[in-house]
Amino acid sequence: MAYFSKHYHSPGTAPGTLIVRGAAAQPLSINLIDYTEAGVEEHQLDSPEQCRSFLEHDSRTWVQVNGEVNPDMLRNLGAVFNLHDLALEDVINTGQRPKVELYDNQVFIITTMPVYDGTRLELVQVSLFMGKNYLICLCPLAEDPFEPVRKRMRQTSNVRFATRGIDYLLYALLDLIVDAGFPVLEQFGDQLEDLEAELLERPSQQTLSSIHRLKRELLILRRVLWPQREVITTLMRGEDEFIHTETLVYFRDCHDHSIQIMELLESFRDMATSMLDIYLSSISQRTNETMRVLTIIATIFIPLTFIAGVYGMNFHNPASPWAMPELGWYYGYPMVWAIMISVTVTLVWFFKRRKWM
């Protein structure tokens, strides 16, 4: 993952300019759900213009756009729902910081949903527009992640969507986006456990690379999830006319989930940092153990080398009073070996007694 993933226009570009770089990566689909207390209607649309007839009904409308949007489609959607140009620009320029913008008779929200497959962390920008009786959700993923919410709406026993305003649907989508962080952090937690076991057994260069990658992903995740908590806090204040008092308790629950995610994230970041220290300590400990073994071996062979060196000089002259008499002894060679073995055994016993080996 790149350190800088935000799409942006060239400096000096007019505000509200809609430009897409490259071809669309995911196919585009528009799903509409129109619901009242009487029931739920689902429609597959070909263009945003088909939404106009539903806005005239006394119902609540959810427009779900999945895939990579193009400027023409986004302009048509903005014309139908009277969306602000700056908000449309933020939709098409992904990588925005999570935020809440209040426009005339409209609320614009940018959130980030983390998606993790075990090897690559993807941060998906989800853009939401909420009006008096409609909600527009734009998600660049081809597969709709909000199918669980749609499934709850289809259940006749679930009357909360039917009896409450469009703000409850906004809560349901935000709650799913926030809770998407739990399975991601669960996978990070499993990786931390594996790395911890690897650190205690046999750390390697690959272990260090995994720790650095994990720290980087946790840092990027924190950068987007921290302002997302501020988004929920802003909606809890009830400054917008579309957020009803009876729905604030659900937003408070969503806020609690965001706090739990941030606490887990901070704990995992601390664990990753401590693992780096453990890795360095482990490598240092392994180096010290290796040096200790080599030192013990060298210490044992120093007196043996001295003995072998002394008796290897071969100064043997029977006429000289300073000659080595041991060189002429019958048991001289076994005697030298006995001395060497005795020295080795004594040194090993001494090292073990001092717990150096």
Side-chain angles (χ1 to χ4, degrees):
M1 178 181 293
Y3 285 106
F4 187 80
S5 59
K6 183 181 183 302
H7 296 170
Y8 61 96
H9 295 323
S10 301
T13 305
T17 302
L18 303 182
I19 300 177
V20 176
R21 293 178 175 83
Q26 301 292 349
L28 185 67
S29 63
I30 304 176
N31 298 307
L32 183 142
I33 293 184
D34 195 71
Y35 63 98
T36 60
E37 296 183 7
V40 177
E41 295 182 7
E42 299 186 43
H43 302 274
Q44 183 77 27
L45 306 183
D46 297 326
S47 64
E49 286 80 3
Q50 295 176 322
C51 300
R52 293 186 184 273
S53 58
F54 295 95
L55 296 179
E56 299 173 357
H57 299 167
D58 186 16
S59 61
R60 290 172 288 279
T61 304
W62 172 19
V63 180
Q64 179 64 42
V65 181
N66 293 321
E68 299 289 343
V69 296
N70 55 73
D72 294 335
M73 179 270 173
L74 204 55
R75 292 190 188 95
N76 294 336
L77 186 67
V80 173
F81 291 92
N82 193 25
L83 306 180
H84 200 279
D85 293 341
L86 293 178
L88 296 178
E89 181 182 354
D90 289 339
V91 170
I92 206 166
N93 292 334
T94 58
Q96 301 287 333
R97 184 179 187 270
K99 63 178 180 178
V100 177
E101 295 287 350
L102 302 179
Y103 297 104
D104 294 337
N105 300 321
Q106 192 177 98
V107 181
F108 174 55
I109 304 172
I110 286 183
T111 59
T112 302
M113 182 169 60
V115 178
Y116 191 59
D117 59 359
T119 57
R120 181 175 179 270
L121 176 64
E122 183 180 1
L123 302 177
V124 180
Q125 175 178 309
V126 180
S127 306
L128 302 166
F129 293 90
M130 186 181 68
K132 183 178 180 181
N133 60 347
Y134 67 86
L135 189 145
I136 306 171
C137 179
L138 298 103
C139 179
L141 298 177
E143 184 178 355
D144 187 7
F146 302 105
E147 179 61 28
V149 178
R150 191 177 290 107
K151 183 178 180 180
R152 286 159 51 193
M153 296 180 69
R154 299 190 188 105
Q155 298 174 356
T156 56
S157 59
N158 194 339
V159 298
R160 291 177 178 174
F161 288 99
T163 58
R164 299 181 184 275
I166 198 70
D167 55 339
Y168 185 81
L169 175 60
L170 174 65
Y171 149 74
L173 299 184
L174 290 177
D175 184 63
L176 188 147
I177 293 172
V178 171
D179 288 350
F182 284 112
V184 173
L185 290 179
E186 183 178 1
Q187 295 185 65
F188 281 141
D190 295 338
Q191 292 187 20
L192 286 171
E193 291 181 1
D194 296 339
L195 286 174
E196 187 176 14
E198 188 175 344
L199 281 174
L200 296 177
E201 294 177 0
R202 192 69 177 177
S204 62
Q205 187 66 30
Q206 181 62 35
T207 307
L208 180 61
S209 300
S210 299
I211 294 175
H212 277 295
R213 176 186 55 80
L214 195 60
K215 283 189 61 179
R216 177 187 175 192
E217 290 176 343
L218 289 173
L219 178 62
I220 295 175
L221 193 60
R222 181 186 183 277
R223 181 172 58 86
V224 297
L225 293 186
W226 186 271
Q228 194 150 279
R229 187 177 65 173
E230 299 177 1
V231 171
I232 308 299
T233 303
T234 302
L235 295 174
M236 286 173 50
R237 295 173 184 161
E239 298 177 354
D240 185 74
E241 57 181 339
F242 301 133
I243 306 296
H244 300 94
T245 305
E246 58 271 16
T247 314
L248 292 179
V249 63
Y250 296 101
F251 281 104
R252 286 198 292 269
D253 179 71
C254 187
H255 184 261
D256 292 339
H257 291 180
S258 65
I259 292 178
Q260 295 175 22
I261 289 177
M262 288 306 304
E263 290 177 348
L264 285 174
L265 183 58
E266 293 295 337
S267 299
F268 288 165
R269 286 186 63 215
D270 294 340
M271 290 176 63
T273 301
S274 63
M275 280 185 177
L276 183 59
D277 297 335
I278 293 175
Y279 173 82
L280 297 176
S281 300
S282 177
I283 295 298
S284 178
Q285 179 67 20
R286 287 174 54 190
T287 303
N288 293 337
E289 291 179 356
T290 303
M291 293 302 299
R292 183 178 62 178
V293 172
L294 295 177
T295 302
I296 290 175
I297 295 175
T299 304
I300 292 176
F301 275 91
I302 284 175
L304 304 183
T305 304
F306 172 76
I307 294 173
V310 169
Y311 287 99
M313 291 186 293
N314 296 323
F315 291 114
H316 180 59
N317 188 351
S320 175
W322 302 102
M324 291 183 180
E326 299 91 340
L327 295 180
W329 289 358
Y330 184 80
Y331 294 103
Y333 179 70
M335 181 198 67
V336 172
W337 270 108
I339 295 174
M340 289 183 176
I341 294 174
S342 300
V343 170
T344 302
V345 172
T346 303
L347 289 175
V348 171
W349 170 81
F350 178 75
F351 291 150
K352 286 188 175 182
R353 184 176 181 182
R354 297 297 299 269
K355 297 181 179 181
W356 290 351
M357 61 179 299

